[in-house]
Amino acid sequence: MALYHDLELKVYNSLTGEKEIFKPIHEGKVGMYVCGPTVYNYVHLGNCRTFISFDLIYRYLKHLGYQVRYVRNITDVGHMVDDVDEGEDKIAKRARIEQIEPMEIVQKYTINFHQILKQFNNLPPSIEPTATGHIIEQIEIIQQIINNGFAYEINGSVYFDVEKYNTSHNYGILSGRKIEDLMSNTRDLDGQSDKKNPLDFALWKKAEPQHIMRWTSPWGDGFPGWHLECTAMSTKYLGSHFDIHGGGMDLKFPHHECEIAQNEASTGNSPVNYWMHANMLTLNGKKMSKSTGNNILPNELFSGKNTILSKAISPAVARFFILQAHYRSILDFSDEAILASERGFFRLMDAVKSLPNLSPSNHSSIDIHSWKQKCYNAMNDDFNSPILIAHLFDAVKMINLIKENKETISASDLTEFTKLINAFVFEVLGLENVEEQQGDNKKLEGVLNMLIGMRNEARANKDFALSDHIRDELLKLGIQLKDGKEGTSFLL
């Protein structure tokens, strides 16, 4: 029997601001949509945190026995810079800078996105639709919204009528913003565009002659609005009413707010039962920004080729670091924090690796079942991965006590203990196998032992200049050699 029958999962719903008992629309099945990237540049670490957070959620729902349809889109339609209705197309701008075709930009950065998430050991979604592949569906939704009286066409563009919608619905239901406040903050823009109201957002934009990415529509050549694509793709694959919609906290307004409005204006349904938002990643206490240089890309993290960290960090350690914070909390990335996380990661992996070598006893002096319940209680409390990890370190202590013969464990408990730890570490948290992660360490150890052998040979030949040179150069790299009675060892 699936675990979800016996466990009560609570999910924080951004729509209500409360943790709610999770009840899928269809028994045993979950429909989840997560906003994917706009593929006009390399995916940054903050984006990765969002996708790792929802990978954790996806993994745990599957672990509980749910059949999950996970849909995550690719935005390959050129939308405006800063996601406003006027300005320059993001993808076209990048294509002009790199002097290649827009769809080459799309392909290049989609491949990068997939490669990075694979390195983080993210599971691929069930369906990964593209905005350009769903132009027809977007046009149909626009027409339905127009037919229902909540949109208007002017000069080849179509805009959503926010004020008209708000007379019978609640624009601001997700973000908690009031239309009166939004109106007062944007009133100075009146008369600067074709919109009836500055709050109105584009459903379809007329393509100017120089605009490269364009499609034919009933209103003329143009391209769809940014908010519309997610409405089209989520409802096509999950229905007009589905379980979970996720994304970064920065998408709550206006993107997700507009999605709700579009759905209700076209179908009359509130589209989603549980809205979920992952919080931001900061760097050294400040917002990540390419313009200020306070930014690091995943490949810079993995290679060590950056000016922020003191060493290269493996994808598994970076994933572990991200999961040590709750997905709804702000997480600050720093050299000190990631190195501490790395130490914890290898301590956990060493313990997991030692499980097959534990010797069972006739009885258990430790309570495996109570520990198991604590682990599930953590994950059932809105996917609280940091509390789960804390309980995994309690397991590390238990393993060490068993190894030291200070605690005992029966054969049946050891079997269950091993199964549970492996499930939580690899299946739920999605951490990489320890052998794969330690491969580079083993290579480094081999090189260092070779250098120590060369240094020993130099000392035997009384070539102390070479001997000292090897020692001093390694010290510059942060590797200290220690000579003792049993030979030379190294300290990283």
Side-chain angles (χ1 to χ4, degrees):
M1 183 180 288
L3 288 171
Y4 68 79
H5 288 291
D6 301 319
L7 297 173
E8 185 177 85
L9 171 64
K10 288 189 175 181
V11 173
Y12 182 84
N13 191 347
S14 297
L15 191 63
T16 62
E18 295 179 356
K19 289 180 186 176
E20 300 175 2
I21 296 171
F22 180 69
K23 293 181 179 178
I25 297 166
H26 303 289
E27 172 72 25
K29 297 181 179 180
V30 178
M32 181 170 76
Y33 184 89
V34 174
C35 294
T38 301
V39 282
Y40 71 102
N41 211 332
Y42 293 113
V43 62
H44 61 73
L45 209 56
N47 289 144
C48 292
R49 186 199 180 184
T50 294
F51 299 125
I52 289 169
S53 295
F54 283 99
D55 184 64
L56 170 77
I57 291 164
Y58 179 38
R59 285 172 174 274
Y60 188 62
L61 290 170
K62 286 166 66 75
H63 175 77
L64 292 181
Y66 286 111
Q67 181 182 337
V68 186
R69 177 176 287 180
Y70 175 20
V71 183
R72 187 188 65 214
N73 74 297
I74 293 287
T75 295
D76 58 349
V77 171
H79 296 298
M80 299 298 101
V81 175
D82 298 326
D83 300 317
V84 295
D85 289 334
E86 309 297 334
E88 190 172 10
D89 177 318
K90 285 182 175 182
I91 291 173
K93 181 180 180 181
R94 176 58 59 176
R96 177 169 52 77
I97 291 170
E98 298 193 19
Q99 297 184 326
I100 56 179
E101 286 293 318
M103 292 314 289
E104 287 183 80
I105 290 292
V106 165
Q107 181 74 353
K108 174 181 177 179
Y109 293 114
T110 298
I111 289 171
N112 169 256
F113 173 68
H114 288 151
Q115 287 173 337
I116 294 298
L117 290 197
K118 186 175 181 180
Q119 286 177 281
F120 276 122
N121 202 31
N122 274 27
L123 298 175
S126 314
I127 304 172
E128 192 174 50
T130 63
T132 55
H134 296 78
I135 299 296
I136 292 172
E137 290 86 349
Q138 293 175 74
I139 290 172
E140 289 174 349
I141 290 172
I142 295 170
Q143 191 61 63
Q144 189 62 52
I145 295 173
I146 292 173
N147 293 346
N148 291 344
F150 295 112
Y152 55 93
E153 183 270 333
I154 187 165
N155 295 332
S157 293
V158 181
Y159 295 100
F160 190 93
D161 193 332
V162 171
E163 197 166 16
K164 174 86 175 286
Y165 170 82
N166 199 59
T167 59
S168 54
H169 299 78
N170 182 4
Y171 184 77
I173 190 171
L174 178 65
S175 62
R177 304 190 186 204
K178 294 183 178 180
I179 194 168
E180 296 83 6
D181 297 334
L182 294 169
M183 291 276 286
S184 63
N185 290 334
T186 57
R187 206 170 292 281
D188 59 323
L189 297 176
D190 283 351
Q192 292 187 13
S193 75
D194 292 331
K195 300 178 187 179
K196 290 181 182 178
N197 188 301
L199 282 184
D200 296 349
F201 55 88
L203 298 173
W204 186 265
K205 282 292 291 181
K206 177 184 178 181
E208 299 303 326
Q210 70 274 15
H211 201 95
I212 301 170
M213 301 184 82
R214 58 204 296 144
W215 290 267
T216 301
S217 81
W219 316 284
D221 282 5
F223 53 94
W226 172 44
H227 313 304
L228 188 68
E229 65 180 74
C230 287
T231 294
M233 289 183 277
S234 62
T235 56
K236 180 178 176 71
Y237 298 107
L238 299 175
S240 61
H241 187 205
F242 55 96
D243 298 299
I244 297 172
H245 193 315
M249 194 75 77
D250 57 321
L251 297 181
K252 185 186 286 188
F253 186 88
H255 186 52
H256 291 160
E257 195 74 72
C258 293
E259 279 193 64
I260 292 174
Q262 289 167 164
N263 260 81
E264 293 192 344
S266 60
T267 67
N269 291 331
S270 181
V272 180
N273 281 355
Y274 304 91
W275 284 91
M276 301 181 69
H277 293 93
N279 217 323
M280 73 169 69
L281 186 69
T282 58
L283 182 58
N284 292 322
K286 298 177 182 178
K287 184 178 179 180
M288 284 195 180
S289 171
K290 291 177 185 175
S291 59
T292 63
N294 194 54
N295 184 59
I296 184 168
L297 295 173
N299 280 332
E300 294 172 338
L301 176 73
F302 306 153
S303 67
K305 294 177 181 178
N306 62 79
T307 59
I308 295 168
L309 301 180
S310 58
K311 59 175 290 189
I313 299 297
S314 73
V317 169
R319 182 185 177 97
F320 181 67
F321 170 75
I322 286 169
L323 295 177
Q324 281 185 294
H326 191 266
Y327 77 90
R328 286 192 290 113
S329 65
I330 293 174
L331 173 61
D332 188 54
F333 191 96
S334 68
D335 188 51
E336 183 180 2
I338 195 75
L339 292 180
S341 191
E342 183 180 55
R343 292 191 292 272
F345 172 84
F346 283 111
R347 190 155 62 91
L348 175 61
M349 286 302 180
D350 286 344
V352 173
K353 188 178 178 181
S354 69
L355 278 168
N357 300 322
L358 295 183
S359 300
S361 301
N362 293 327
H363 70 282
S364 294
S365 62
I366 55 178
D367 188 350
I368 299 302
H369 303 289
S370 174
W371 172 83
K372 170 185 175 180
Q373 191 59 50
K374 289 177 182 177
C375 290
Y376 277 112
N377 287 347
M379 287 303 292
N380 289 332
D381 183 17
D382 193 32
F383 310 96
N384 203 324
S385 58
I387 301 299
L388 171 63
I389 290 170
H391 293 317
L392 288 173
F393 279 111
D394 289 338
V396 171
K397 293 174 187 175
M398 287 189 269
I399 290 168
N400 290 333
L401 289 171
I402 295 167
K403 285 163 66 175
E404 295 165 5
N405 297 317
K406 294 178 181 178
E407 296 283 3
T408 58
I409 188 168
S410 68
S412 60
D413 278 357
L414 178 57
T415 299
E416 184 177 13
F417 193 39
T418 301
K419 180 182 176 182
L420 285 167
I421 289 176
N422 279 284
F424 285 125
V425 170
F426 300 116
E427 182 183 319
V428 174
L429 294 178
L431 301 178
E432 291 275 18
N433 186 284
V434 62
E435 293 297 332
E436 294 177 15
Q437 292 304 316
Q438 289 182 333
D440 289 342
N441 288 351
K442 289 180 178 178
K443 290 177 184 177
L444 175 61
E445 186 178 338
V447 171
L448 289 173
N449 286 332
M450 179 186 71
L451 288 170
I452 288 170
M454 291 172 62
R455 180 170 175 264
N456 289 340
E457 185 177 344
R459 293 170 75 185
N461 294 332
K462 300 189 184 300
D463 188 352
F464 297 114
L466 177 58
S467 168
D468 291 346
H469 179 69
I470 292 172
R471 180 198 63 200
D472 294 343
E473 288 301 308
L474 287 174
L475 190 59
K476 288 179 184 177
L477 297 171
I479 301 168
Q480 183 180 357
L481 297 184
K482 287 191 173 184
D483 296 317
K485 293 180 181 178
E486 296 180 1
T488 303
S489 60
F490 58 86
L491 181 66
L492 295 174

